[in-house]
């Protein structure tokens, strides 16, 4: 094995925290120095768009396509991604090698005006860039106003402090990785507020036929997270999930079985359909597809239109 692997990452603070985790895990596993695992910071289209929702600009691939190009061209050996940013179909020649152990999957409610979502005053403004969060907020509190809030975690917190919005929702995983959990007002239970598919999981993308990189990564990948994400991503794929669709999904091992909960909502939160499926971990993809087909069969025409 050549004594060097280049890690591709976006340049946001959260992306860098995740890339450094990959660097640290590989260094410890391989017995290498950080210098043998350099980071290549790559600006993506998604990073440059701050004035509109990603759903209006092309969806999830906006955070990955530049890293995909660098990977296919051989300028990086692996790419570190937030799993929820990955499109359901990857470019030919690229695969997800696996995932690191999953962080907290829950969403955090953050506000300077209220102790919880239910305590916000009528008509309060909640800022988010996620249609999933928007739909679930409006399902619980149809009286609230939801507005677009883009930017990295620190930018969103600064906008909250300036009073541009009354509250926002962020992933607990990102706040933990950035050491910013002191900002959390309340943590939302997954029973009431289901996370995005892939939330909390770091995915490693590689060239499909690069045996050297697959071999280097194998000892540090987490099988349990892999089963969960296989089910969740198969579920999302059946529903043609993108940033344009309010879909939530979460799978986890319970007593040796894989349990998947899925949810699809109208964008205005006025209606929703849910599904729960249980099966063997090795049947994760089939389980996810079954859950997606179940919801698809029950979804009325025009369900995703406000």
């Amino acid at each position: 094995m050549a004594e060097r692997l280049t890690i591709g990452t976006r340049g946001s603070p959260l992306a860098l925290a995740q890339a450094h985790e990959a660097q640290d895990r590989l260094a410890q596993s391989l017995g290498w120095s950080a210098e043998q695992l350099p980071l290549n910071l790559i600006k993506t289209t998604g990073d440059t768009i701050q004035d509109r929702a990603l759903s209006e600009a092309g969806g999830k691939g906006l955070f990955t396509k530049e890293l995909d190009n660098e990977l296919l061209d051989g300028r990086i050996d692996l790419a570190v991604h937030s799993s929820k940013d990955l499109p359901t179909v990857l470019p030919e020649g690229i695969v997800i090698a696996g995932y690191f152990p999953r962080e907290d999957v829950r969403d955090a409610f953050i506000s300077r005006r209220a102790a919880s979502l239910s305590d916000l005053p009528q008509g309060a403004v909640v800022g988010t860039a996620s249609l999933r969060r928007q739909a679930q907020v409006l399902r619980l509190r149809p009286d609230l106003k939801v507005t677009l809030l883009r930017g990295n975690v620190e930018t969103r917190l600064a906008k909250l402090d300036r009073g541009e919005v009354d509250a926002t929702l962020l992933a607990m995983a990102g706040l933990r990785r950035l050491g910013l959990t002191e900002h959390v007002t309340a943590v939302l239970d997954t029973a009431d507020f289901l996370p995005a598919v892939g939330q909390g999981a770091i995915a490693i993308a590689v060239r499909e036929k690069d045996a050297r990189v697959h071999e280097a990564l194998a000892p540090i990948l987490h099988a349990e997270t892999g089963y969960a994400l296989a089910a969740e991503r198969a579920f999302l794929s059946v529903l043609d999930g993108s940033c344009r669709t309010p879909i939530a999904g979460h799978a986890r091992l319970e007593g040796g079985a894989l349990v998947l909960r899925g949810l699809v909502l109208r964008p205005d939160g006025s209606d929703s359909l849910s599904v729960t499926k249980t099966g063997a971990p090795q049947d994760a993809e089939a389980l996810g597809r079954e859950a997606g087909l179940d919801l698809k069969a029950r979804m009325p025409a025009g369900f995703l239109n406000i």
Side-chain angles (χ1 to χ4, degrees):
M1 181 179 292
E3 298 291 301
R4 182 182 177 93
L5 290 174
T6 301
I7 300 169
T9 177
R10 293 166 57 206
S12 72
L14 179 54
L16 286 173
Q18 295 179 161
H20 281 296
E21 179 175 340
Q23 186 183 51
D24 292 343
R25 287 179 181 275
L26 275 168
Q28 183 172 357
S29 175
L30 296 170
W32 290 7
S33 67
E35 288 73 26
Q36 293 170 281
L37 296 159
L39 303 185
N40 186 345
L41 276 58
I42 300 162
K43 193 164 191 176
T44 69
T45 304
D47 294 314
T48 64
I49 299 171
Q50 297 295 325
D51 60 344
R52 62 194 188 278
L54 292 178
S55 58
E56 299 173 8
K60 290 188 177 183
L62 295 171
F63 282 126
T64 60
K65 64 180 181 179
E66 284 82 5
L67 280 88
D68 291 338
N69 291 338
E70 296 286 304
L71 196 53
L72 289 172
D73 289 344
R75 287 189 287 269
I76 61 174
D77 297 299
L78 58 141
V80 182
H81 296 287
S82 293
S83 295
K84 67 178 183 178
D85 289 338
L86 286 170
T88 52
V89 178
L90 302 182
E92 186 176 353
I94 294 177
V95 296
I96 300 171
Y99 308 87
F100 296 152
R102 200 170 197 173
E103 246 290 2
D104 194 329
V105 302
R106 297 173 296 174
D107 283 305
F109 171 80
I110 304 175
S111 177
R112 312 295 184 242
R113 295 196 61 190
S116 67
L117 184 64
S118 61
D119 290 335
L120 279 172
Q122 187 168 355
V125 178
V126 177
T128 180
S130 162
L131 278 180
R132 173 192 62 86
R133 288 177 177 142
Q134 169 189 298
Q136 291 194 90
V137 165
L138 293 174
R139 179 176 67 154
L140 297 171
R141 289 289 308 273
D143 60 294
L144 297 178
K145 180 183 177 183
V146 179
T147 189
L148 177 67
L149 187 67
R150 286 292 317 280
N152 62 38
V153 171
E154 294 87 344
T155 299
R156 297 186 199 196
L157 291 173
K159 290 180 178 180
L160 182 70
D161 288 337
R162 291 197 297 269
E164 294 183 25
V165 295
D166 298 308
T168 189
L169 302 173
L170 294 171
M172 276 298 298
L175 293 166
R176 286 183 183 276
R177 289 181 175 123
L178 290 168
L180 295 173
T181 54
E182 72 272 12
H183 294 279
V184 176
T185 306
V187 182
L188 302 177
D189 195 309
T190 58
D192 304 315
F193 212 95
L194 205 60
V197 163
Q199 187 154 307
I202 296 173
I204 309 299
V206 302
R207 289 180 291 275
E208 183 176 12
K209 296 181 179 179
D210 195 333
R212 179 177 75 103
V213 180
H214 282 280
E215 180 185 346
L217 287 166
I220 61 173
L221 300 176
H222 192 240
E224 183 174 330
T225 301
Y227 290 132
L229 267 290
E232 291 175 23
R233 286 177 58 78
F235 167 72
L236 190 66
S237 181
V238 167
L239 294 171
D240 194 27
S242 69
C243 290
R244 303 179 184 87
T245 317
I247 296 173
H250 178 226
R252 66 176 183 176
L253 285 175
E254 297 180 13
L258 188 64
V259 180
L260 170 66
R261 292 175 56 220
L263 177 70
V264 61
L265 308 101
R266 289 191 187 273
D268 65 357
S270 61
D271 198 7
S272 62
L273 295 168
S274 63
V275 64
T276 301
K277 297 288 182 181
T278 303
Q282 58 267 31
D283 297 327
E285 286 191 29
L287 184 74
R289 286 194 298 271
E290 182 184 350
L293 290 169
D294 183 317
L295 283 190
K296 203 168 187 178
R298 291 190 278 130
M299 201 182 303
F303 182 84
L304 297 176
N305 299 324
I306 296 177

